[in-house]
Amino acid sequence: MLAPETLVRHELAGLRVRVVDAAHEGYVGIEGTVVDETTNTLLIGTDGDSGVMQVQKAGTSFEFALPGDDDGEAETSYVVVEGERLVARPARRTELTGDSKWR
């Protein structure tokens, strides 16, 4: 289950995200949906005319919106994650076994 405590272990594509702080001032305020992810970047499909923005993970703080349950009993929750915690190949970061530091 997707929870604030386990967010860094999950697939990020499809989640709503907003850049809350960044070493590059131009990144702050970018928001939309994660459409893809590489080792060092998130590709965010923006709500405006910008299309898809590529944002460096390192040096950036992201606020993710975690959807509530389908029953409507749990509300959307928000969690801020330092991008350094996400720097890894997505498949490696989400694996559950092996010598991953993400266990």
Side-chain angles (χ1 to χ4, degrees), residues 68-76:
D69 60 22
D70 293 334
D71 300 352
E73 293 180 20
E75 295 183 19
T76 300

Side-chain angles (χ1 to χ4, degrees), residues 2-100:
L2 188 57
E5 301 82 22
T6 62
L7 175 66
V8 298
R9 292 292 314 248
H10 286 275
E11 175 68 42
L12 301 177
L15 292 178
R16 296 286 302 168
V17 65
R18 181 172 64 95
V19 176
V20 294
D21 191 29
H24 184 288
E25 293 280 326
Y27 291 162
V28 177
I30 292 174
E31 63 181 293
T33 303
V34 178
V35 294
D36 202 2
E37 175 183 8
T38 69
T39 299
N40 296 306
T41 65
L42 288 182
L43 280 72
I44 301 171
T46 62
D47 299 331
D49 297 330
S50 301
V52 176
M53 303 288 295
Q54 187 172 21
V55 178
Q56 293 291 320
K57 292 177 182 175
T60 306
S61 296
F62 299 95
E63 180 184 66
F64 290 92
L66 306 183
D69 60 22
D70 293 334
D71 300 352
E73 293 180 20
E75 295 183 19
T76 300
S77 58
Y78 298 89
V79 61
V80 175
V81 176
E82 297 303 317
E84 284 82 5
R85 294 195 61 206
L86 302 172
V87 175
R89 286 184 329 170
R92 181 74 168 181
R93 195 187 75 245
T94 60
E95 70 186 11
L96 296 175
T97 59
D99 60 351
S100 173

